[in-house]
Amino acid sequence: MLLRNALKSVITAAVILGAGLATQAKADAVDDITKAGAINVGIFSDFPPFSSASADMSIKGYDIDVAQAIADSLKVKLNLVSVTGQNRIPYLTDKRVDILMSVGYSKEREQVIDFAAAYAPYYIAVIGPAELAVKGKEDLADKSVAVNRGTLEDTSLTQAAPASTDIRRFDNYNSVIQAFISGQTQLMVVGNDVGAQVLAKQDALKPEQKFQLLTSPSHIGLNKNEDRLKKAVNDAVAKMLADGKLDESSKAWLKTPLNPDNLKD
């Protein structure tokens, strides 16, 4: 009898333990976020126009608009966490953040984390004054173009430009911008993050994007096997795209309407 009761106790304990483990297995990031009442979002705190400190010292930008929409869709508070290029993947995998903004897709990263649908355009563009007729790479012939030396912009321009293009390489973006706005070069090649700052401030020059050399949209990164969270993120971005809120953010922060084609890898 004692042995039988002991066996019953062991079996009962195993059943309870198994049920507990099953419950834990079903728990996921959405459950954790809902329980905490907040979603922790990893952002670059000095990455204008996607995220940077505003006049009142709050962080604002394109990424923040999207992060807030995701938090609202989950009915939780948005908690911004400053990350760097070096620590952001460990922050995610260690669950110090729930999602990461502004993550470029790569096969190497996909081995470690998952990607929600693209939400932000990132591309390298040729920028010039409105009065200068440039529609494609063949129009770069005999034009002077400023570019940051040794960058992806430099590589893309070098590959696309005709032999007669006067490519002038500088050591930083400030020098590239200064060369362009001072008239040392007719055009410049930069990413749309840098370009947005010039488009917003140079009213007299009336700069505009002429054409794109390379497109590599930004994704939202999340941990593997978080299907509910991935769906929630994708649904929130899709809603912003459908109701025009993503286009509004693009006009406000990137100074150009959103082209959905720029959200394709």
Side-chain angles (χ1 to χ4, degrees):
M1 181 65 71
L2 290 175
L3 179 59
R4 183 181 300 173
N5 289 338
L7 286 172
K8 284 184 178 180
S9 298
V10 170
I11 293 170
T12 301
V15 170
I16 293 172
L17 178 61
L21 291 173
T23 300
Q24 290 179 7
K26 289 181 181 179
D28 61 7
V30 172
D31 292 330
D32 294 338
I33 291 166
T34 301
K35 183 177 180 181
I39 182 169
N40 297 318
V41 179
I43 56 143
F44 294 126
S45 56
D46 187 18
F47 185 41
F50 293 96
S51 53
S52 60
S54 62
D56 63 4
M57 299 310 294
S58 63
I59 304 296
K60 294 182 179 178
Y62 187 101
D63 278 3
I64 311 308
D65 288 353
V66 176
Q68 185 64 63
I70 294 169
D72 291 344
S73 72
L74 292 168
K75 297 180 173 57
V76 296
K77 177 184 175 183
L78 173 62
N79 182 32
L80 299 175
V81 180
S82 180
V83 297
T84 68
Q86 291 72 41
N87 70 22
R88 62 180 182 160
I89 300 299
Y91 267 43
L92 179 63
T93 56
D94 290 346
K95 298 188 177 180
R96 297 175 67 174
V97 298
D98 300 301
I99 59 174
L100 294 172
M101 308 301 293
S102 287
V103 184
Y105 172 82
S106 73
K107 291 182 178 180
E108 292 75 20
R109 285 176 177 163
E110 194 178 33
Q111 300 300 312
V112 182
I113 66 172
D114 199 1
F115 293 86
Y119 75 99
Y122 182 80
Y123 50 84
I124 294 170
V126 176
I127 292 178
E131 63 184 18
L132 185 63
V134 174
K135 295 182 178 180
K137 60 183 181 181
E138 63 280 354
D139 294 325
L140 297 177
D142 302 317
K143 304 290 194 309
S144 56
V145 188
V147 70
N148 195 352
R149 188 191 319 274
T151 60
L152 184 57
E153 293 98 310
D154 188 358
T155 303
S156 300
L157 173 62
T158 301
Q159 290 174 348
S164 64
T165 305
D166 180 12
I167 301 176
R168 301 184 190 178
R169 296 175 173 86
F170 298 86
D171 292 330
N172 54 65
Y173 289 112
N174 285 336
S175 297
V176 170
I177 294 169
Q178 187 58 39
F180 171 62
I181 64 177
S182 66
Q184 294 179 52
T185 64
Q186 296 166 283
L187 302 160
M188 71 173 184
V189 170
V190 293
N192 63 322
D193 53 341
V194 175
Q197 301 174 57
V198 178
L199 296 176
K201 297 177 181 178
Q202 298 300 320
D203 292 335
L205 188 60
K206 291 182 169 54
E208 64 181 13
Q209 293 179 176
K210 300 298 186 179
F211 66 95
Q212 296 175 20
L213 289 172
L214 179 147
T215 299
S216 180
S218 293
H219 293 256
I220 294 170
L222 65 160
N223 280 310
K224 293 280 191 181
N225 303 316
E226 294 293 355
D227 294 339
R228 287 179 64 208
L229 180 58
K230 184 174 182 176
K231 183 180 185 304
V233 169
N234 285 343
D235 287 349
V237 172
K239 184 176 184 299
M240 289 189 76
L241 189 59
D243 64 17
K245 293 295 178 60
L246 213 54
D247 183 56
E248 290 177 13
S249 290
S250 182
K251 290 174 181 175
W253 299 108
L254 306 181
K255 306 306 176 184
T256 186
L258 179 68
N259 180 353
D261 287 343
N262 288 331
L263 300 182
K264 299 176 182 177
D265 285 299

